[in-house]
Amino acid sequence: MADAYPTTWKRPPQIVTDRRWRLALQIGVVLYLVLAIGTLEVDWARVAAGLERGQRFVMGFLTPDFTSRWIDIRQGLIESLTMTLTSTVIGVIISVPIGVGAARNLAPRAIYYVCRGIIAVSRALQEIIIAIFLVAMFGFGPFAGFLTLSFATIGFIAKLLADDIEEIDEAQAEAIRATGASWWQLVNYAIQPQVMPRLIGLSLYRLDINFRESAVIGIVGAGGIGATLNTAIDRYEYDSAGAILLIIIGIVMVAEYGSSYLRKFLQ
């Protein structure tokens, strides 16, 4: 067993073996970085003005105002939490059959390609782009945010679930097949016990992501706490913006510690 681990460090093989080519590639990379930096147009007057505004924002962050716009903050927070919970639940429910269909070792070829296509489309588009499109379709408000987060959840959960199914212990699946079990029994007794802990962990992780994304997509009109934050910044109410950011940080921390404890409890 000890022979399986090397006792001395061995340099990995080099992709480019010629020393002159390696030197040319290194010089080329440095040259490209210099030219790329040189194309940046920096308006130093605007930078100076931005630093002053940034200082005011930091001061507002250090002296947050939770009372002046509390009604708007509460409404935006309720919208974000509602969007987060509903989109995660709906997204996970839809993701499970798509993830099963996207597993090469479980689904027929035609279903596999269709499900992988759905995952690819969902993962190819950022939430902010989807939100802009859905806001244009359905108008401003949390409904567009709910659809955006649900669509993003499908690509995230289904992709990782399909990968987990493809990496299961095949011995357990073969043992179930040997009993003459149907396809549903195979999924229930061989696949589900192996991937369920991972699915629960991914769902909790996505719940955390969806809340943070609800603050981003709200900037383009998809409702939630992000819309309230954007309004406060546009009005230069940095103390209210600081309060909103502190609330977001607090909820994310609670979700992080809570999901970590729950994953440990379930496993």
Side-chain angles (χ1 to χ4, degrees):
M1 191 67 181
D3 296 337
Y5 298 95
T7 56
T8 58
W9 180 81
K10 184 179 179 181
R11 185 174 183 176
Q14 296 179 340
I15 299 177
V16 181
T17 56
D18 193 322
R19 183 175 179 275
R20 290 171 297 180
W21 277 108
R22 291 201 306 270
L23 183 61
L25 287 173
Q26 293 171 2
I27 294 174
V29 170
V30 172
L31 206 65
Y32 174 78
L33 289 176
V34 172
L35 293 174
I37 294 173
T39 60
L40 298 177
E41 298 180 0
V42 181
D43 186 350
W44 294 107
R46 187 178 180 87
V47 170
L51 289 176
E52 182 182 354
R53 288 195 297 270
Q55 181 182 4
R56 282 187 287 151
F57 181 79
V58 171
M59 294 305 297
F61 189 82
L62 296 177
T63 57
D65 180 10
F66 293 92
T67 58
S68 298
R69 296 179 57 83
W70 173 245
I71 296 177
D72 295 333
I73 294 174
R74 183 183 62 182
Q75 181 179 355
L77 189 60
I78 292 173
E79 287 184 356
S80 281
L81 293 174
T82 303
M83 286 192 302
T84 299
L85 183 60
T86 54
S87 63
T88 303
V89 172
I90 297 300
V92 170
I93 291 174
I94 299 175
S95 297
V96 171
I98 295 177
V100 172
R104 189 186 298 270
N105 59 339
L106 201 60
R109 186 178 297 271
I111 296 178
Y112 169 80
Y113 283 121
V114 170
C115 292
R116 282 289 176 175
I118 295 173
I119 293 173
V121 171
S122 176
R123 288 170 54 82
L125 301 175
Q126 286 289 335
E127 285 87 344
I128 193 71
I129 298 175
I130 303 171
I132 293 173
F133 175 71
L134 292 176
V135 165
M137 287 183 61
F138 301 107
F140 296 101
F143 181 66
F146 160 73
L147 294 178
T148 299
L149 297 178
S150 298
F151 185 72
T153 300
I154 292 171
F156 179 86
I157 297 292
K159 161 69 175 174
L160 297 177
L161 178 61
D163 292 344
D164 286 340
I165 293 175
E166 292 180 347
E167 297 172 0
I168 63 169
D169 182 8
E170 288 293 342
Q172 184 173 343
E174 289 299 328
I176 298 297
R177 287 192 184 100
T179 64
S182 65
W183 186 86
W184 288 106
Q185 290 172 328
L186 172 67
V187 172
N188 190 33
Y189 294 106
I191 308 299
Q192 182 264 343
Q194 297 190 57
V195 301
M196 183 57 72
R198 173 73 167 163
L199 177 61
I200 294 174
L202 291 173
S203 302
L204 294 173
Y205 181 47
R206 187 66 211 186
L207 183 71
D208 179 14
I209 293 175
N210 281 344
F211 178 75
R212 288 185 280 114
E213 290 296 333
S214 71
V216 177
I217 63 176
I219 296 176
V220 297
I225 194 68
T228 309
L229 176 62
N230 188 45
T231 302
I233 293 177
D234 288 343
R235 295 179 178 178
Y236 300 102
E237 298 174 354
Y238 295 124
D239 48 359
S240 297
I244 295 171
L245 289 176
L246 287 175
I247 291 174
I248 294 174
I249 293 172
I251 292 178
V252 170
M253 289 181 64
V254 170
E256 176 67 23
Y257 291 124
S259 62
S260 177
Y261 172 78
L262 187 56
R263 283 196 302 269
K264 187 183 298 183
F265 174 77
L266 292 173
Q267 294 175 355

